[in-house]
Amino acid sequence: MNLSVLVPLLLFLVLIFFIGYYASTKLTGSTHFLNDYFLGGRELGGFVLAMTMVATYGSASSFLGGPGTAYTMGFGWILLAMTQVVTGYFVLMILGKKFAIVARLYEAVTLVDFLKKRYESPAVVILSAASIIVFLFSAMTAQWIGGARLIESITGISYHTALFLFAVSVLVYVTIGGFRAVALTDAVQGGVMVVGTLILLVAVVQAGGGIPAIVQSLMAENPNLVTPYGADGNLSAAYVSSFWILVGVGVVGLPQIAVRAMSYKNAQSMHRALIIGTIVTGVIMLNMHLIGVFARPILPGIEIGDKVIPLITLEVLPPWLAGIVLAAPMAAIMSTVDSLLILVSSTVVKDVYLNYVKPDASEKTIKQISFGVTALLGTVVALLALQPPDLLIFLNLFAFGGLEAAFIWPIVLGLYWTYGNKWGALLSMITGIISYIVIHFYNSTHGNLLDVHTVTIPVVLSLLSYIAGSLLIERKKYYFIPQQK
Amino acid sequence: MDKRFQIAHREAWIGIGLALFNFIWWFGFAYGMGGRKVEEYTFIFGLPDWFFYSCVVGFIVMACLVWLVVILFFKEVSFEEGDEK
């Protein structure tokens, strides 16, 4: 395929690489290495905070899978995708100032640190660290594969070369620059995502002869495409509404998102991030899914959903501009992968190694271990992505909803409910994960239980377990700041 | 209780309130208007009316509300330890 698409993509990779390098220069001479490497020294400003949250959250599915489904389903799927606007403000408002204050009080660098201090239970630490490592490791591999497939499909270079290119660029900047590199590159990647979707939307509307003409041809093909119920009329209100939990309010429970709520500098950054985050999430989700639907009359008959965006981009834009716009989905994948990599690495180093293997490690050892573990994890993921084992693909199915069901209540109620204790947290995590897996299997053979997405019932069950565990076993009030007599 | 925690708790409740309002707006227009027959739909800027109100106007309303709420009700607090005012 032609070079003019490849060149802007490569330039983008080079730019990202330099930002990573810049971030790494801030690490030399750092006196609080762990805090700097895994949390960027808690100094994110409003814009970077908003962008890193949106970019981490917006992944291959917002840029490829989601629009691809909207192409088949019509406006009903855009309605579903717009449930995500709530994440732009909800996560930061709920975790908000309380989490920022408590994380500093506890000197917590990772989410597990917070849970460890709040619940004072090794079982909670081990269970949460294990589920982060297992589920997010597999999620990372899946995104990695998506990134390589995307490069393969738009440039024509082989899957292996594409994987190598993608892996090396991400690995290098994450390893040398840590969380700060991840957040700064996320900001640029988020910017590319917004600009890319705007250009593409305008071009698609023009190519289709204006919105009224596009909507008319959709209705001529199948009137259901413009209803909220999907092309076959089988998207029920209950099912679509249950995505408010999966991709809306439940996102509070995702470790890669929650950890960002303890990384910002001050209240002003948070306030600014709330506004920017809401607008950016809304613009990206609305635009990308509109593009998916609008692509249908222009390029009918695309069978594989993930190919809709690359194909429509190459169709409606000149090659050099297509290269720039297609940097957007790549940015989305990279910004998700880099956050997962640094999070899994922090879990291994801070929560496992420093907690249980060598608590008295020197600053120098910690540094070497942190770089080493990050690089090693990234390499292993890249090697696994060459020929992904079935087990990883299987685990990835539970990564998103399973983690939400496991973590949402131990985090949220741990912050706000004085009676929350370790028994509640443990029961809630176990119930969340197990019921998610059980209901997943039930739904895939019998159709959705109660007509809602798999995540819904486990989130309710884990709430009940949290409350029951906390009230029935060793009930006691908890104070973040010891009470004065 | 730490004053800063009271502020944080109030802001969390505001977040829940906004999300509820967002859901009602989104659901009401989508299924209230979108439940009619397709022939009865009107089109605004070429988009089906239910979609325009639920997703386009809904998003703009939420962005404005978040902005307003932050300006009017969100308080500046220090995150550092022992800095109680």
Short mmCIF file of all heavy atoms in Angstrom, two decimals, chain A residues 103-159:
data_model
loop_
_atom_site.label_atom_id
_atom_site.label_comp_id
_atom_site.label_asym_id
_atom_site.label_seq_id
_atom_site.Cartn_x
_atom_site.Cartn_y
_atom_site.Cartn_z
N ALA A 103 -5.38 9.14 49.40
CA ALA A 103 -4.19 8.54 48.79
C ALA A 103 -2.92 9.22 49.29
O ALA A 103 -1.91 8.57 49.54
CB ALA A 103 -4.27 8.62 47.26
N ARG A 104 -3.00 10.53 49.48
CA ARG A 104 -1.83 11.24 50.02
C ARG A 104 -1.61 10.90 51.48
O ARG A 104 -0.49 10.72 51.94
CB ARG A 104 -2.00 12.75 49.85
CG ARG A 104 -1.65 13.22 48.44
CD ARG A 104 -2.11 14.65 48.23
NE ARG A 104 -1.62 15.24 46.99
CZ ARG A 104 -2.17 15.05 45.80
NH1 ARG A 104 -3.19 14.23 45.67
NH2 ARG A 104 -1.69 15.65 44.72
N LEU A 105 -2.70 10.82 52.22
CA LEU A 105 -2.64 10.46 53.64
C LEU A 105 -1.98 9.08 53.81
O LEU A 105 -1.14 8.87 54.68
CB LEU A 105 -4.08 10.41 54.17
CG LEU A 105 -4.34 10.44 55.66
CD1 LEU A 105 -4.02 11.83 56.19
CD2 LEU A 105 -5.81 10.12 55.92
N TYR A 106 -2.37 8.15 52.95
CA TYR A 106 -1.84 6.79 53.00
C TYR A 106 -0.48 6.65 52.31
O TYR A 106 0.11 5.59 52.34
CB TYR A 106 -2.79 5.84 52.27
CG TYR A 106 -4.04 5.45 53.00
CD1 TYR A 106 -5.01 4.69 52.33
CD2 TYR A 106 -4.27 5.79 54.31
CE1 TYR A 106 -6.17 4.30 52.95
CE2 TYR A 106 -5.44 5.40 54.94
CZ TYR A 106 -6.38 4.67 54.26
OH TYR A 106 -7.54 4.27 54.88
N GLU A 107 -0.06 7.70 51.61
CA GLU A 107 1.09 7.63 50.73
C GLU A 107 0.96 6.49 49.73
O GLU A 107 1.90 5.76 49.45
CB GLU A 107 2.40 7.50 51.52
CG GLU A 107 2.67 8.76 52.33
CD GLU A 107 3.90 8.64 53.21
OE1 GLU A 107 4.48 7.55 53.30
OE2 GLU A 107 4.28 9.66 53.80
N ALA A 108 -0.24 6.31 49.20
CA ALA A 108 -0.51 5.23 48.27
C ALA A 108 -0.05 5.61 46.86
O ALA A 108 -0.30 6.71 46.41
CB ALA A 108 -2.00 4.90 48.25
N VAL A 109 0.66 4.68 46.24
CA VAL A 109 1.12 4.91 44.87
C VAL A 109 0.26 4.12 43.89
O VAL A 109 0.08 4.51 42.75
CB VAL A 109 2.61 4.50 44.74
CG1 VAL A 109 3.07 4.53 43.29
CG2 VAL A 109 3.48 5.42 45.58
N THR A 110 -0.26 2.99 44.34
CA THR A 110 -1.11 2.17 43.47
C THR A 110 -2.49 2.02 44.11
O THR A 110 -2.68 2.33 45.28
CB THR A 110 -0.52 0.76 43.29
OG1 THR A 110 -0.51 0.13 44.58
CG2 THR A 110 0.89 0.81 42.76
N LEU A 111 -3.41 1.52 43.29
CA LEU A 111 -4.74 1.26 43.81
C LEU A 111 -4.68 0.21 44.93
O LEU A 111 -5.37 0.31 45.96
CB LEU A 111 -5.64 0.75 42.68
CG LEU A 111 -7.04 0.37 43.10
CD1 LEU A 111 -7.81 1.59 43.54
CD2 LEU A 111 -7.77 -0.32 41.97
N VAL A 112 -3.82 -0.80 44.75
CA VAL A 112 -3.70 -1.85 45.75
C VAL A 112 -3.15 -1.28 47.07
O VAL A 112 -3.57 -1.70 48.15
CB VAL A 112 -2.82 -3.00 45.22
CG1 VAL A 112 -2.65 -4.08 46.27
CG2 VAL A 112 -3.42 -3.58 43.95
N ASP A 113 -2.26 -0.30 46.97
CA ASP A 113 -1.78 0.38 48.18
C ASP A 113 -2.94 0.93 48.99
O ASP A 113 -2.99 0.83 50.22
CB ASP A 113 -0.94 1.61 47.79
CG ASP A 113 0.52 1.27 47.63
OD1 ASP A 113 0.91 0.17 48.06
OD2 ASP A 113 1.25 2.09 47.06
N PHE A 114 -3.86 1.57 48.27
CA PHE A 114 -5.03 2.14 48.93
C PHE A 114 -5.82 1.04 49.62
O PHE A 114 -6.16 1.14 50.80
CB PHE A 114 -5.90 2.90 47.92
CG PHE A 114 -7.30 3.16 48.41
CD1 PHE A 114 -7.55 4.14 49.35
CD2 PHE A 114 -8.36 2.39 47.95
CE1 PHE A 114 -8.84 4.37 49.83
CE2 PHE A 114 -9.65 2.60 48.41
CZ PHE A 114 -9.89 3.59 49.36
N LEU A 115 -6.11 -0.04 48.88
CA LEU A 115 -6.90 -1.12 49.46
C LEU A 115 -6.18 -1.75 50.65
O LEU A 115 -6.79 -2.11 51.66
CB LEU A 115 -7.19 -2.20 48.40
CG LEU A 115 -8.02 -1.73 47.20
CD1 LEU A 115 -8.08 -2.81 46.14
CD2 LEU A 115 -9.43 -1.34 47.63
N LYS A 116 -4.85 -1.84 50.54
CA LYS A 116 -4.05 -2.45 51.60
C LYS A 116 -4.18 -1.67 52.91
O LYS A 116 -4.43 -2.23 53.98
CB LYS A 116 -2.59 -2.48 51.16
CG LYS A 116 -1.62 -3.06 52.15
CD LYS A 116 -0.20 -2.92 51.61
CE LYS A 116 0.81 -3.26 52.68
NZ LYS A 116 2.12 -2.65 52.40
N LYS A 117 -4.06 -0.34 52.81
CA LYS A 117 -4.13 0.48 54.02
C LYS A 117 -5.56 0.57 54.53
O LYS A 117 -5.80 0.60 55.74
CB LYS A 117 -3.59 1.88 53.72
CG LYS A 117 -2.14 1.90 53.30
CD LYS A 117 -1.27 2.54 54.36
CE LYS A 117 0.22 2.32 54.13
NZ LYS A 117 0.76 2.98 52.95
N ARG A 118 -6.51 0.63 53.62
CA ARG A 118 -7.90 0.79 54.04
C ARG A 118 -8.41 -0.46 54.75
O ARG A 118 -9.13 -0.38 55.73
CB ARG A 118 -8.77 1.13 52.82
CG ARG A 118 -10.29 1.14 53.05
CD ARG A 118 -10.70 2.25 54.01
NE ARG A 118 -12.14 2.28 54.22
CZ ARG A 118 -12.79 1.49 55.08
NH1 ARG A 118 -12.11 0.60 55.79
NH2 ARG A 118 -14.09 1.59 55.23
N TYR A 119 -8.05 -1.64 54.22
CA TYR A 119 -8.64 -2.86 54.77
C TYR A 119 -7.69 -3.65 55.66
O TYR A 119 -8.11 -4.58 56.34
CB TYR A 119 -9.16 -3.74 53.63
CG TYR A 119 -10.31 -3.09 52.88
CD1 TYR A 119 -10.15 -2.67 51.57
CD2 TYR A 119 -11.53 -2.88 53.51
CE1 TYR A 119 -11.20 -2.06 50.90
CE2 TYR A 119 -12.57 -2.26 52.84
CZ TYR A 119 -12.40 -1.85 51.53
OH TYR A 119 -13.43 -1.24 50.88
N GLU A 120 -6.39 -3.30 55.60
CA GLU A 120 -5.39 -3.99 56.42
C GLU A 120 -5.54 -5.51 56.37
O GLU A 120 -5.63 -6.17 57.40
CB GLU A 120 -5.47 -3.51 57.87
CG GLU A 120 -4.98 -2.08 57.99
CD GLU A 120 -5.30 -1.45 59.33
OE1 GLU A 120 -6.19 -1.99 60.03
OE2 GLU A 120 -4.69 -0.43 59.66
N SER A 121 -5.59 -6.05 55.16
CA SER A 121 -5.75 -7.49 55.04
C SER A 121 -4.91 -8.01 53.88
O SER A 121 -5.08 -7.59 52.73
CB SER A 121 -7.23 -7.81 54.77
OG SER A 121 -7.34 -8.97 53.99
N PRO A 122 -3.96 -8.93 54.18
CA PRO A 122 -3.13 -9.49 53.11
C PRO A 122 -3.97 -10.19 52.05
O PRO A 122 -3.63 -10.14 50.87
CB PRO A 122 -2.24 -10.51 53.82
CG PRO A 122 -2.26 -10.11 55.25
CD PRO A 122 -3.58 -9.45 55.50
N ALA A 123 -5.09 -10.79 52.45
CA ALA A 123 -5.92 -11.49 51.47
C ALA A 123 -6.48 -10.51 50.43
O ALA A 123 -6.50 -10.81 49.24
CB ALA A 123 -7.07 -12.22 52.17
N VAL A 124 -6.90 -9.33 50.89
CA VAL A 124 -7.41 -8.32 49.96
C VAL A 124 -6.30 -7.91 48.99
O VAL A 124 -6.51 -7.79 47.79
CB VAL A 124 -7.95 -7.09 50.72
CG1 VAL A 124 -8.25 -5.95 49.76
CG2 VAL A 124 -9.20 -7.45 51.51
N VAL A 125 -5.08 -7.72 49.54
CA VAL A 125 -3.95 -7.29 48.70
C VAL A 125 -3.66 -8.34 47.63
O VAL A 125 -3.55 -8.03 46.45
CB VAL A 125 -2.69 -7.06 49.56
CG1 VAL A 125 -1.49 -6.77 48.67
CG2 VAL A 125 -2.94 -5.91 50.52
N ILE A 126 -3.55 -9.60 48.06
CA ILE A 126 -3.18 -10.66 47.11
C ILE A 126 -4.27 -10.83 46.05
O ILE A 126 -3.99 -10.90 44.86
CB ILE A 126 -2.91 -11.97 47.86
CG1 ILE A 126 -1.65 -11.80 48.71
CG2 ILE A 126 -2.73 -13.13 46.89
CD1 ILE A 126 -1.45 -12.88 49.73
N LEU A 127 -5.51 -10.87 46.49
CA LEU A 127 -6.61 -11.07 45.55
C LEU A 127 -6.68 -9.92 44.54
O LEU A 127 -6.84 -10.14 43.32
CB LEU A 127 -7.93 -11.18 46.31
CG LEU A 127 -9.12 -11.64 45.50
CD1 LEU A 127 -8.88 -13.02 44.93
CD2 LEU A 127 -10.38 -11.64 46.36
N SER A 128 -6.53 -8.69 45.03
CA SER A 128 -6.66 -7.58 44.08
C SER A 128 -5.45 -7.50 43.16
O SER A 128 -5.61 -7.28 41.96
CB SER A 128 -6.90 -6.26 44.82
OG SER A 128 -5.94 -6.07 45.82
N ALA A 129 -4.24 -7.73 43.70
CA ALA A 129 -3.07 -7.69 42.83
C ALA A 129 -3.17 -8.80 41.78
O ALA A 129 -2.90 -8.58 40.60
CB ALA A 129 -1.79 -7.85 43.65
N ALA A 130 -3.60 -9.98 42.22
CA ALA A 130 -3.69 -11.10 41.27
C ALA A 130 -4.71 -10.80 40.17
O ALA A 130 -4.45 -11.04 38.99
CB ALA A 130 -4.06 -12.39 41.99
N SER A 131 -5.87 -10.24 40.55
CA SER A 131 -6.85 -10.02 39.48
C SER A 131 -6.41 -8.91 38.53
O SER A 131 -6.67 -8.99 37.33
CB SER A 131 -8.26 -9.77 40.02
OG SER A 131 -8.23 -9.09 41.23
N ILE A 132 -5.70 -7.90 39.05
CA ILE A 132 -5.19 -6.87 38.14
C ILE A 132 -4.19 -7.48 37.16
O ILE A 132 -4.28 -7.28 35.95
CB ILE A 132 -4.51 -5.72 38.93
CG1 ILE A 132 -5.57 -4.90 39.66
CG2 ILE A 132 -3.71 -4.83 38.00
CD1 ILE A 132 -5.01 -3.78 40.50
N ILE A 133 -3.26 -8.28 37.71
CA ILE A 133 -2.23 -8.83 36.84
C ILE A 133 -2.84 -9.76 35.79
O ILE A 133 -2.59 -9.62 34.59
CB ILE A 133 -1.14 -9.56 37.67
CG1 ILE A 133 -0.38 -8.54 38.51
CG2 ILE A 133 -0.18 -10.31 36.76
CD1 ILE A 133 0.57 -9.12 39.53
N VAL A 134 -3.69 -10.70 36.24
CA VAL A 134 -4.23 -11.68 35.30
C VAL A 134 -5.13 -11.03 34.24
O VAL A 134 -4.93 -11.21 33.04
CB VAL A 134 -5.03 -12.76 36.07
CG1 VAL A 134 -5.81 -13.63 35.10
CG2 VAL A 134 -4.08 -13.60 36.89
N PHE A 135 -6.11 -10.22 34.70
CA PHE A 135 -7.08 -9.69 33.74
C PHE A 135 -6.48 -8.61 32.84
O PHE A 135 -6.73 -8.57 31.64
CB PHE A 135 -8.31 -9.14 34.46
CG PHE A 135 -9.18 -10.21 35.02
CD1 PHE A 135 -9.49 -10.25 36.37
CD2 PHE A 135 -9.69 -11.20 34.20
CE1 PHE A 135 -10.30 -11.24 36.90
CE2 PHE A 135 -10.49 -12.20 34.70
CZ PHE A 135 -10.79 -12.23 36.06
N LEU A 136 -5.71 -7.71 33.44
CA LEU A 136 -5.20 -6.62 32.60
C LEU A 136 -4.07 -7.07 31.71
O LEU A 136 -3.87 -6.53 30.63
CB LEU A 136 -4.80 -5.43 33.47
CG LEU A 136 -6.00 -4.70 34.06
CD1 LEU A 136 -5.58 -3.44 34.77
CD2 LEU A 136 -7.04 -4.37 32.99
N PHE A 137 -3.35 -8.10 32.14
CA PHE A 137 -2.33 -8.66 31.26
C PHE A 137 -2.98 -9.19 29.99
O PHE A 137 -2.51 -8.94 28.87
CB PHE A 137 -1.57 -9.77 31.98
CG PHE A 137 -0.37 -10.25 31.24
CD1 PHE A 137 0.82 -9.55 31.32
CD2 PHE A 137 -0.43 -11.39 30.45
CE1 PHE A 137 1.93 -9.98 30.62
CE2 PHE A 137 0.68 -11.82 29.76
CZ PHE A 137 1.87 -11.12 29.84
N SER A 138 -4.08 -9.89 30.14
CA SER A 138 -4.74 -10.41 28.95
C SER A 138 -5.39 -9.30 28.13
O SER A 138 -5.38 -9.33 26.90
CB SER A 138 -5.74 -11.50 29.30
OG SER A 138 -6.47 -11.16 30.44
N ALA A 139 -5.93 -8.28 28.82
CA ALA A 139 -6.51 -7.16 28.08
C ALA A 139 -5.44 -6.46 27.25
O ALA A 139 -5.68 -6.05 26.11
CB ALA A 139 -7.13 -6.16 29.05
N MET A 140 -4.25 -6.37 27.85
CA MET A 140 -3.15 -5.71 27.16
C MET A 140 -2.79 -6.48 25.88
O MET A 140 -2.62 -5.89 24.83
CB MET A 140 -1.96 -5.68 28.11
CG MET A 140 -0.85 -4.80 27.70
SD MET A 140 0.09 -4.26 29.13
CE MET A 140 0.57 -5.77 29.95
N THR A 141 -2.72 -7.80 25.99
CA THR A 141 -2.38 -8.59 24.81
C THR A 141 -3.41 -8.37 23.71
O THR A 141 -3.06 -8.20 22.53
CB THR A 141 -2.34 -10.09 25.16
OG1 THR A 141 -1.66 -10.24 26.39
CG2 THR A 141 -1.62 -10.89 24.10
N ALA A 142 -4.69 -8.32 24.08
CA ALA A 142 -5.74 -8.15 23.08
C ALA A 142 -5.59 -6.80 22.36
O ALA A 142 -5.73 -6.73 21.14
CB ALA A 142 -7.11 -8.25 23.73
N GLN A 143 -5.29 -5.75 23.12
CA GLN A 143 -5.11 -4.43 22.51
C GLN A 143 -3.89 -4.42 21.59
O GLN A 143 -3.88 -3.80 20.53
CB GLN A 143 -4.94 -3.36 23.59
CG GLN A 143 -6.17 -3.09 24.40
CD GLN A 143 -7.17 -2.22 23.67
OE1 GLN A 143 -6.82 -1.37 22.87
NE2 GLN A 143 -8.45 -2.45 23.91
N TRP A 144 -2.86 -5.08 22.03
CA TRP A 144 -1.61 -5.17 21.28
C TRP A 144 -1.88 -5.82 19.91
O TRP A 144 -1.43 -5.35 18.88
CB TRP A 144 -0.67 -6.05 22.10
CG TRP A 144 0.76 -5.66 22.10
CD1 TRP A 144 1.70 -6.09 21.23
CD2 TRP A 144 1.44 -4.82 23.05
NE1 TRP A 144 2.91 -5.56 21.57
CE2 TRP A 144 2.80 -4.79 22.67
CE3 TRP A 144 1.03 -4.10 24.18
CZ2 TRP A 144 3.76 -4.07 23.38
CZ3 TRP A 144 2.00 -3.39 24.87
CH2 TRP A 144 3.34 -3.37 24.48
N ILE A 145 -2.65 -6.91 19.94
CA ILE A 145 -3.00 -7.59 18.70
C ILE A 145 -3.81 -6.64 17.81
O ILE A 145 -3.56 -6.53 16.61
CB ILE A 145 -3.83 -8.87 19.00
CG1 ILE A 145 -2.98 -9.85 19.80
CG2 ILE A 145 -4.32 -9.52 17.71
CD1 ILE A 145 -3.77 -10.99 20.41
N GLY A 146 -4.76 -5.91 18.43
CA GLY A 146 -5.58 -4.95 17.68
C GLY A 146 -4.72 -3.90 17.00
O GLY A 146 -4.93 -3.56 15.83
N GLY A 147 -3.72 -3.39 17.73
CA GLY A 147 -2.85 -2.37 17.17
C GLY A 147 -2.09 -2.88 15.97
O GLY A 147 -2.02 -2.23 14.92
N ALA A 148 -1.53 -4.09 16.10
CA ALA A 148 -0.76 -4.66 14.99
C ALA A 148 -1.65 -4.95 13.79
O ALA A 148 -1.28 -4.68 12.65
CB ALA A 148 -0.05 -5.93 15.45
N ARG A 149 -2.86 -5.46 14.05
CA ARG A 149 -3.79 -5.74 12.94
C ARG A 149 -4.14 -4.47 12.20
O ARG A 149 -4.26 -4.44 10.98
CB ARG A 149 -5.09 -6.36 13.47
CG ARG A 149 -4.92 -7.76 13.98
CD ARG A 149 -5.75 -8.76 13.18
NE ARG A 149 -5.35 -10.12 13.53
CZ ARG A 149 -5.89 -10.80 14.55
NH1 ARG A 149 -6.84 -10.25 15.27
NH2 ARG A 149 -5.46 -12.01 14.82
N LEU A 150 -4.33 -3.38 12.98
CA LEU A 150 -4.70 -2.10 12.37
C LEU A 150 -3.58 -1.63 11.43
O LEU A 150 -3.82 -1.27 10.29
CB LEU A 150 -4.96 -1.05 13.46
CG LEU A 150 -5.26 0.34 12.94
CD1 LEU A 150 -6.63 0.38 12.28
CD2 LEU A 150 -5.20 1.37 14.06
N ILE A 151 -2.33 -1.65 11.95
CA ILE A 151 -1.21 -1.21 11.10
C ILE A 151 -1.12 -2.11 9.87
O ILE A 151 -0.94 -1.64 8.75
CB ILE A 151 0.12 -1.27 11.89
CG1 ILE A 151 0.04 -0.35 13.11
CG2 ILE A 151 1.28 -0.85 11.00
CD1 ILE A 151 1.30 -0.31 13.94
N GLU A 152 -1.30 -3.40 10.09
CA GLU A 152 -1.26 -4.35 8.97
C GLU A 152 -2.31 -3.97 7.92
O GLU A 152 -2.02 -3.87 6.73
CB GLU A 152 -1.52 -5.77 9.49
CG GLU A 152 -1.48 -6.86 8.44
CD GLU A 152 -2.02 -8.19 8.98
OE1 GLU A 152 -2.80 -8.18 9.96
OE2 GLU A 152 -1.65 -9.23 8.43
N SER A 153 -3.55 -3.70 8.38
CA SER A 153 -4.63 -3.49 7.42
C SER A 153 -4.53 -2.16 6.68
O SER A 153 -4.97 -2.04 5.55
CB SER A 153 -6.00 -3.62 8.09
OG SER A 153 -6.28 -2.45 8.82
N ILE A 154 -3.94 -1.14 7.31
CA ILE A 154 -3.90 0.13 6.58
C ILE A 154 -2.60 0.34 5.81
O ILE A 154 -2.57 1.13 4.88
CB ILE A 154 -4.17 1.35 7.49
CG1 ILE A 154 -3.21 1.42 8.66
CG2 ILE A 154 -5.60 1.38 7.92
CD1 ILE A 154 -3.61 2.44 9.69
N THR A 155 -1.53 -0.34 6.19
CA THR A 155 -0.28 -0.09 5.47
C THR A 155 0.12 -1.25 4.57
O THR A 155 0.93 -1.09 3.67
CB THR A 155 0.89 0.15 6.43
OG1 THR A 155 1.06 -1.03 7.22
CG2 THR A 155 0.62 1.33 7.33
N GLY A 156 -0.44 -2.42 4.84
CA GLY A 156 -0.09 -3.57 4.01
C GLY A 156 1.18 -4.28 4.46
O GLY A 156 1.54 -5.31 3.89
N ILE A 157 1.89 -3.76 5.48
CA ILE A 157 3.06 -4.51 5.95
C ILE A 157 2.58 -5.72 6.77
O ILE A 157 1.46 -5.73 7.26
CB ILE A 157 4.04 -3.64 6.78
CG1 ILE A 157 3.34 -3.04 8.00
CG2 ILE A 157 4.64 -2.55 5.92
CD1 ILE A 157 4.26 -2.16 8.84
N SER A 158 3.45 -6.73 6.90
CA SER A 158 3.00 -7.99 7.51
C SER A 158 2.67 -7.82 9.00
O SER A 158 3.16 -6.89 9.64
CB SER A 158 4.08 -9.06 7.35
OG SER A 158 5.10 -8.83 8.30
N TYR A 159 1.85 -8.72 9.53
CA TYR A 159 1.43 -8.67 10.93
C TYR A 159 2.64 -8.64 11.86
O TYR A 159 2.69 -7.88 12.82
CB TYR A 159 0.53 -9.87 11.24
CG TYR A 159 0.10 -9.96 12.68
CD1 TYR A 159 -0.86 -9.10 13.20
CD2 TYR A 159 0.66 -10.91 13.53
CE1 TYR A 159 -1.25 -9.18 14.52
CE2 TYR A 159 0.27 -11.00 14.86
CZ TYR A 159 -0.68 -10.13 15.35
OH TYR A 159 -1.06 -10.21 16.66
#
